[in-house]
Amino acid sequence: MSINLFDLTGKTALVTGGVHGLGMSMAKGLGHAGAKIVVNDRSSWEAVNNAVAEYKSVGIEAYGYIFDVTDEAAVIENIKKIEAEVGPIDILINNAGIIKRTPIIEMEVEDFAQVINVDLISPFIVSKTVAKGMIERGGGKIINICSMMSELGRQDVSAYAAAKGGLKMLTKNMATEWAKFNIQTNGIGPGYFATSQTAPIRVDGHPFNEFIISRTPANRWGDPEDLQGAAIFLSSKASDFVNGHILYVDGGILATIGKPSNE
């Protein structure tokens, strides 16, 4: 009997912050593979409703909720609501995140702490809450969205890099503790992607555009759909013995020290 290892039919996936951008692209991939999609935003029903409408317009069953992923009480309350109203959460993608671009010497402690709170502590809160149900039911999939900054430093993103480096190690520790419960915990580390946020710098002649193209062996920015295969793989039976890894979808950036300037 043939088995479709990548079929997510009947699964429910929570993608935090999946109301736009790369989170929405990954959620669409899971939805097209058969999963029901649940997304959240911290405060905007407009963003949630627009996202749900977008998912439904391409044939994906989707639901939206409002809650702050850094508020443990709100997370616990809304996970209960989601599992009562939509179904048990089989797949969690911790995608919600922020970045503040400030030199270390100029960065306020409050701003540094806010980035750590959203990008590192919230995956801890949401994962531990969802994992309790996964343990009771005998398994699940958790995907933490890491970054190139889980491995590399860059100017003016110290808090983000600290959080994403910590998230890489949190992923490994979640795998260490929860693999025995048939929970696979892994991460995805996106490279540099063509999104609405990067549009102003993805123009010929812009220094950062030239830097990314020259630094990436694939010689291009990533397309948001390039993340869908990784998300489906780590959400499906195909990854049932994959645990504690970060899958970098980066066009080869981490594989090289770069090209000579005269190439």
Side-chain angles (χ1 to χ4, degrees):
M1 181 178 67
S2 63
I3 299 175
N4 185 348
L5 292 175
F6 302 97
D7 183 16
L8 301 179
T9 301
K11 303 294 185 182
T12 298
L14 169 60
V15 182
T16 66
V19 297
H20 56 73
L22 299 183
M24 175 174 276
S25 181
M26 287 184 285
K28 282 183 176 179
L30 302 191
H32 287 310
K36 292 184 290 186
I37 301 301
V38 182
V39 297
N40 84 300
D41 188 79
R42 184 176 63 179
S43 58
S44 171
W45 274 114
E46 181 181 9
V48 167
N49 292 333
N50 287 343
V52 169
E54 171 68 16
Y55 288 117
K56 290 183 176 179
S57 74
V58 293
I60 294 170
E61 185 177 350
Y63 304 84
Y65 290 79
I66 289 280
F67 61 95
D68 183 347
V69 291
T70 68
D71 181 337
E72 185 172 17
V75 169
I76 292 170
E77 177 186 352
N78 280 274
I79 295 304
K80 287 180 180 177
K81 285 179 63 178
I82 291 166
E83 297 204 324
E85 297 171 358
V86 182
I89 296 169
D90 305 291
I91 302 158
L92 167 65
I93 299 184
N94 284 306
N95 167 76
I98 61 171
I99 187 170
K100 292 181 181 288
R101 295 178 174 87
T102 310
I104 294 172
I105 204 166
E106 298 174 11
M107 192 168 206
E108 299 293 338
V109 171
E110 293 81 3
D111 289 335
F112 191 95
Q114 183 187 18
V115 176
I116 297 295
N117 202 28
V118 176
D119 292 358
L120 178 57
I121 296 177
S122 78
F124 165 77
I125 292 171
V126 181
S127 294
K128 68 179 284 196
T129 304
V130 171
K132 291 175 182 177
M134 290 180 172
I135 291 170
E136 291 175 1
R137 294 187 296 271
K141 304 281 186 175
I142 297 174
I143 302 170
N144 293 320
I145 302 306
C146 296
S147 166
M148 293 287 90
M149 302 304 102
S150 297
E151 300 290 345
L152 301 170
R154 206 181 85 202
Q155 285 185 319
D156 301 342
V157 293
S158 59
Y160 183 79
K164 293 300 186 177
L167 187 56
K168 176 185 73 172
M169 295 311 301
L170 179 60
T171 300
K172 292 177 180 291
N173 278 272
M174 287 177 178
T176 299
E177 294 192 20
W178 296 339
K180 63 187 176 184
F181 301 114
N182 191 33
I183 297 173
Q184 290 81 51
T185 308
N186 294 285
I188 294 175
Y192 292 90
F193 279 77
T195 66
S196 58
Q197 289 180 317
T198 60
I201 60 176
R202 285 186 290 106
V203 293
D204 290 342
H206 193 288
F208 197 74
N209 183 61
E210 300 302 318
F211 169 71
I212 293 303
I213 296 299
S214 66
R215 184 70 175 81
T216 306
N219 207 40
R220 66 175 176 87
W221 291 74
D223 185 293
E225 291 188 358
D226 290 329
L227 282 172
Q228 293 182 357
I232 293 168
F233 167 63
L234 292 176
S235 299
S236 69
K237 285 186 64 62
S239 61
D240 277 357
F241 203 56
V242 179
N243 234 319
H245 290 278
I246 313 300
L247 175 52
Y248 290 99
V249 185
D250 66 350
I253 290 176
L254 289 175
T256 180
I257 60 171
K259 296 181 286 188
S261 58
N262 61 351
E263 218 180 84

